[in-house]
Amino acid sequence: CLTPTPHGCRRIVVSRGRLRRFIWILLTLSAVGLILWQCAELLMNYYSASVSVTVQFQKLPFPAVTICNINPYKYSSMKDYLSELDKETKKALETFYGFSEGKSKVRRSVDEGNGTGSDFFKQIPLLKFEDFSKTATDLRSGKKRKIEGSVFHKDSSIVNSGDSNDIIGFQLCDANNSSECALYTFSSGVNAIQEWYKLHYMNIMAQIPLETKEKLSYSADDLLLTCFFDGLSCDKRHFTRFHHPLHGNCYTFNSGENGTILSTSTGGSEYGLQVVLYIDEADYNPFLVTSTGAKIIVHDQDEYPFIEDIGTEIETAAATSIGMHFTRSRKLSKPYSDCTETGADIPVENLYNKSYSLQICLHSCFQKAMVDSCGCAQYAQPLPAGAEYCNYKKNPNWMYCYYRLHEKFVKEQLGCQQICKDACSFKEWALTTSIAQWPSTVSEDWMLRVLSWDKGQKINKKLNKTDLANLMVFYKDLNERFISENPANTLVILLSNFGGQLGLWMSCSVVCVIEIVEVFFIDSLSIVMRRQWQKAKKWWNDRKRDRSGKPPQAGDLERHGHDNPVCIDEDLPTFNTALRLPLPQDNPLPRTPPPNYSTLRLETAFTEQLPDTLEVGQH
């Protein structure tokens, strides 16, 4: 009993034909749904890439190697420009730490000079924070004063939990609105003094012409003592001077400026670049740099050397060996990845006149925002057209503007990180650095004597090993690695996958797909169009009849078919279904008359009846 009722049980009768049709439709819909899901997944993953790595052994071009002294300018040549700044720095050290530099390693007098900006030093002095109530002591005058403004702790993102007397910093205010101020604090006095010193140092250097700064920095003869490349001797003619705002005169080996790029066909330290550098530690600026040595960067000839970002430092009295592995990378552009081919589609002007890179875009974007917001350019970056470097004489508000703008840049609020994109093609040299003591104790005496004799006409003293650095840059092997992205799917692969899904789940081929399209689209369209044509024809006939006013003729009436109630199902009726057949209608439907066959008529072959066939009563 499938469905109990008060009068008994009602059985639900399902014909086998309907069940078969239901199962067939269900399986068909499941297969179609699975195929559609697979096809949607194929389309969603169409723009995917596969990575291939190719390694080949061949003769490799040698990269450009840029070398800079960590100290950008000779301190003996700069003391006239920095005398006032050094005096203020020493006074702050004496006030804060209670010592002077009379017996320190710095043996220079800064009492006299043409340094300027004493009024500006009074406006932005170093401050010692007495407590967290924003009361500070001016390290220059020793007077206490209250300060206002937002506090930015430069060494950590958390509040200093130590003694507040250890916190020093400086205050920057908007020149147009004195109530708008920012306090920059440091938990380390070394960091605070260096940051404050660099701030004023950039002010001073921005006012010195480029030609003068090139003379104040190191020449190629000053920096380079010996040079070898690929087992052959080289000299300053193989180096190109490059002036960096923060590192002074730098020198690039194999820059390709003359159209020739050196290459090497043998790996190993003996077939690379070997140079001995003269550092001259005694002529270092004691407040600007606190380390000794040189900075180098390995880059392509078309790339800008960002020494301050990715430079490698080498130390003195040591031999630094840098082994290289060369890799070329190539990424697919849109729609596979969000990279740019040449940077032409990036709305940021390239200020470096070098091939596009992400760093060039970020620095150029910040420099443009600096010019737009502060009215001048930051000293460490190239100048945009029509702009000039910031200095406190022409732009008294630039320091406050720069720090607030740099804070937005770090927090990605300027939009530069959203605009700039990675380059699709780039070259990379993976560096492996090793260090050994140089010169050794047993060879130190004769090597220093020979080097001093070689440079005797330009160096009026005996060389010390702490003034020298030995550098070797070479390929560890000549295996060029090429990493490339290739489309994982093409139109042919997509059609093949689509056909494979149809063949797997529905046993369909191209002919089957064409038939399905014909049945479901072409035939359906023809049926719909035929029905519409019949309706239009009927409407036109009715309209003509209405206009003529004639009643419809019997021949014009449309003949309609009638449904036979017996033929409801394709299956033969059972006994139960026969009992449920409807009764005949009062007005029977017109039916086809029986055939009038002449064979059904009985005709005799005799024209008269025989007498013996007559009935007996007639006689």
Side-chain angles (χ1 to χ4, degrees):
C1 184
L2 299 178
T3 308
T5 62
H7 303 287
C9 294
R10 185 178 66 186
R11 297 183 179 276
I12 300 177
V13 179
V14 180
S15 64
R16 291 189 298 272
R18 289 184 178 182
L19 183 61
R20 287 195 299 269
R21 286 198 304 271
F22 175 76
I23 295 176
W24 184 86
I25 293 173
L26 182 62
L27 292 176
T28 303
L29 292 178
S30 301
V32 171
L34 185 59
I35 292 174
L36 292 178
W37 177 73
Q38 292 287 343
C39 293
E41 186 178 3
L42 290 175
L43 292 176
M44 291 176 60
N45 297 329
Y46 181 77
Y47 292 111
S48 59
S50 61
V51 179
S52 62
V53 180
T54 305
V55 180
Q56 55 184 354
F57 182 86
Q58 63 180 6
K59 185 178 181 179
L60 296 179
F62 201 79
V65 180
T66 299
I67 306 172
C68 307
N69 197 323
I70 290 181
N71 184 57
Y73 302 98
K74 299 177 182 179
Y75 191 71
S76 57
S77 303
M78 289 293 300
K79 64 180 181 181
D80 292 338
Y81 298 94
L82 304 176
S83 59
E84 191 70 26
L85 176 59
D86 290 348
K87 188 187 301 182
E88 292 292 328
T89 305
K90 291 181 179 181
K91 189 176 296 185
L93 288 173
E94 186 175 358
T95 303
F96 186 69
Y97 294 104
F99 70 91
S100 62
E101 294 191 350
K103 297 182 181 181
S104 67
K105 191 174 181 179
V106 181
R107 302 176 296 273
R108 305 172 186 88
S109 174
V110 293
D111 295 334
E112 301 295 336
N114 58 359
T116 59
S118 59
D119 294 338
F120 189 74
F121 296 142
K122 295 178 183 178
Q123 296 177 8
I124 309 179
L126 279 171
L127 302 175
K128 180 177 69 173
F129 293 85
E130 300 294 339
D131 50 37
F132 291 102
S133 61
K134 294 186 178 181
T135 300
T137 301
D138 189 338
L139 296 182
R140 188 176 188 276
S141 61
K143 297 180 180 180
K144 294 184 179 181
R145 62 176 182 178
K146 277 203 167 186
I147 53 177
E148 299 292 339
S150 303
V151 179
F152 299 94
H153 197 68
K154 301 291 286 185
D155 289 343
S156 175
S157 59
I158 60 174
V159 179
N160 190 348
S161 59
D163 188 1
S164 60
N165 292 330
D166 295 333
I167 301 177
I168 64 173
F170 50 86
Q171 181 185 32
L172 296 178
C173 297
D174 190 352
N176 302 323
N177 186 5
S178 59
S179 60
E180 287 288 335
C181 296
L183 309 177
Y184 295 91
T185 62
F186 303 82
S187 60
S188 171
V190 173
N191 295 337
I193 292 173
Q194 278 194 306
E195 187 75 14
W196 180 82
Y197 188 91
K198 289 179 181 178
L199 192 66
H200 296 291
Y201 171 82
M202 287 191 296
N203 262 312
I204 297 172
M205 299 306 298
Q207 304 175 56
I208 302 177
L210 177 61
E211 295 78 7
T212 304
K213 288 187 289 188
E214 290 177 349
K215 295 178 181 179
L216 296 174
S217 187
Y218 298 90
S219 64
D221 292 328
D222 295 333
L223 183 63
L224 303 172
L225 288 181
T226 64
C227 175
F228 286 92
F229 174 73
D230 207 7
L232 302 177
S233 177
C234 55
D235 53 26
K236 65 179 182 180
R237 293 173 296 180
H238 295 85
F239 290 82
T240 304
R241 187 174 65 182
F242 156 70
H243 187 83
H244 193 277
L246 299 181
H247 294 276
N249 289 341
C250 301
Y251 296 90
T252 303
F253 176 80
N254 194 28
S255 64
E257 189 178 40
N258 56 0
T260 302
I261 298 178
L262 302 176
S263 59
T264 180
S265 57
T266 308
S269 58
E270 296 183 0
Y271 299 95
L273 175 65
Q274 303 180 32
V275 291
V276 176
L277 306 176
Y278 178 58
I279 303 301
D280 195 11
E281 181 185 7
D283 211 8
Y284 266 41
N285 188 325
F287 306 114
L288 184 64
V289 293
T290 55
S291 58
T292 304
K295 244 184 177 181
I296 76 158
I297 179 173
V298 177
H299 58 95
D300 188 52
Q301 283 74 16
D302 294 332
E303 294 180 1
Y304 182 85
F306 286 97
I307 306 168
E308 68 278 16
D309 295 338
I310 55 176
T312 301
E313 295 185 353
I314 61 174
E315 59 181 280
T316 57
T320 304
S321 298
I322 299 178
M324 302 182 298
H325 290 288
F326 179 50
T327 303
R328 288 191 300 117
S329 300
R330 168 75 182 176
K331 296 195 299 183
L332 294 174
S333 58
K334 288 184 177 180
Y336 294 93
S337 65
D338 193 22
C339 67
T340 178
E341 293 287 349
T342 60
D345 56 333
I346 305 298
V348 176
E349 180 186 2
N350 190 338
L351 302 178
Y352 291 84
N353 296 324
K354 292 288 186 178
S355 60
Y356 175 87
S357 68
L358 178 61
Q359 288 176 302
I360 283 181
C361 181
L362 291 175
H363 287 293
S364 299
C365 179
F366 178 80
Q367 187 73 303
K368 186 178 184 302
M370 182 79 183
V371 174
D372 295 340
S373 302
C374 307
C376 57
Q378 202 261 347
Y379 174 70
Q381 310 300 336
L383 273 175
E388 60 181 6
Y389 285 127
C390 298
N391 65 81
Y392 52 77
K393 289 184 178 180
K394 295 182 180 180
N395 313 96
N397 194 40
W398 85 266
M399 287 189 178
Y400 175 79
C401 181
Y402 165 73
Y403 272 88
R404 297 308 296 263
L405 197 67
H406 188 266
E407 175 194 356
K408 293 181 180 180
F409 177 77
V410 173
K411 294 181 179 180
E412 300 185 4
Q413 297 176 356
L414 285 183
C416 294
Q417 287 81 357
Q418 290 75 23
I419 296 175
C420 297
K421 305 175 183 178
D422 287 324
C424 294
S425 301
F426 55 92
K427 299 177 182 179
E428 182 182 9
W429 284 267
L431 307 181
T432 303
T433 304
S434 59
I435 300 175
Q437 182 182 353
W438 181 89
S440 63
T441 305
V442 295
S443 60
E444 175 182 348
D445 183 60
W446 74 265
M447 286 190 64
L448 295 179
R449 287 178 179 270
V450 173
L451 291 175
S452 300
W453 183 84
D454 290 340
K455 296 294 181 180
Q457 298 179 354
K458 300 176 182 178
I459 303 176
N460 298 323
K461 64 177 182 178
K462 181 181 177 181
L463 295 177
N464 191 304
K465 68 176 182 179
T466 56
D467 294 328
L468 303 177
N470 189 3
L471 172 65
M472 291 174 286
V473 182
F474 56 93
Y475 278 114
K476 298 185 71 174
D477 55 53
L478 297 182
N479 294 328
E480 178 185 357
R481 294 162 180 83
F482 179 60
I483 303 175
S484 62
E485 287 185 346
N486 303 304
N489 296 299
T490 60
L491 183 59
V492 175
I493 296 177
L494 181 64
L495 294 178
S496 300
N497 292 335
F498 180 71
Q501 295 296 329
L502 288 177
L504 177 64
W505 300 106
M506 297 188 67
S507 300
C508 289
S509 61
V510 176
V511 177
C512 181
V513 172
I514 294 175
E515 292 179 353
I516 293 175
V517 172
E518 179 185 2
V519 171
F520 285 97
F521 292 97
I522 300 178
D523 292 352
S524 301
L525 180 62
S526 62
I527 293 174
V528 171
M529 294 299 295
R530 187 183 304 169
R531 293 292 300 271
Q532 295 298 325
W533 169 253
Q534 292 176 356
K535 290 182 179 180
K537 185 178 180 180
K538 181 178 179 299
W539 173 81
W540 180 256
N541 293 332
D542 293 342
R543 183 180 178 184
K544 289 174 61 177
R545 184 175 57 252
D546 294 340
R547 286 183 178 181
S548 62
K550 295 181 180 180
Q553 301 297 327
D556 297 336
L557 294 177
E558 183 179 0
R559 298 181 180 271
H560 298 280
H562 300 277
D563 295 331
N564 191 342
V566 178
C567 301
I568 299 176
D569 197 352
E570 294 180 357
D571 296 331
L572 296 176
T574 62
F575 179 77
N576 294 329
T577 57
L579 294 178
R580 294 198 300 271
L581 292 177
L583 296 176
Q585 300 179 1
D586 295 338
N587 297 326
L589 297 175
R591 302 181 181 276
T592 304
N596 187 14
Y597 297 112
S598 59
T599 56
L600 298 178
R601 298 178 183 179
L602 299 177
E603 295 183 359
T604 177
F606 304 98
T607 57
E608 294 181 2
Q609 188 175 5
L610 297 177
D612 57 350
T613 60
L614 295 177
E615 294 181 358
V616 178
Q618 293 179 357
H619 297 280

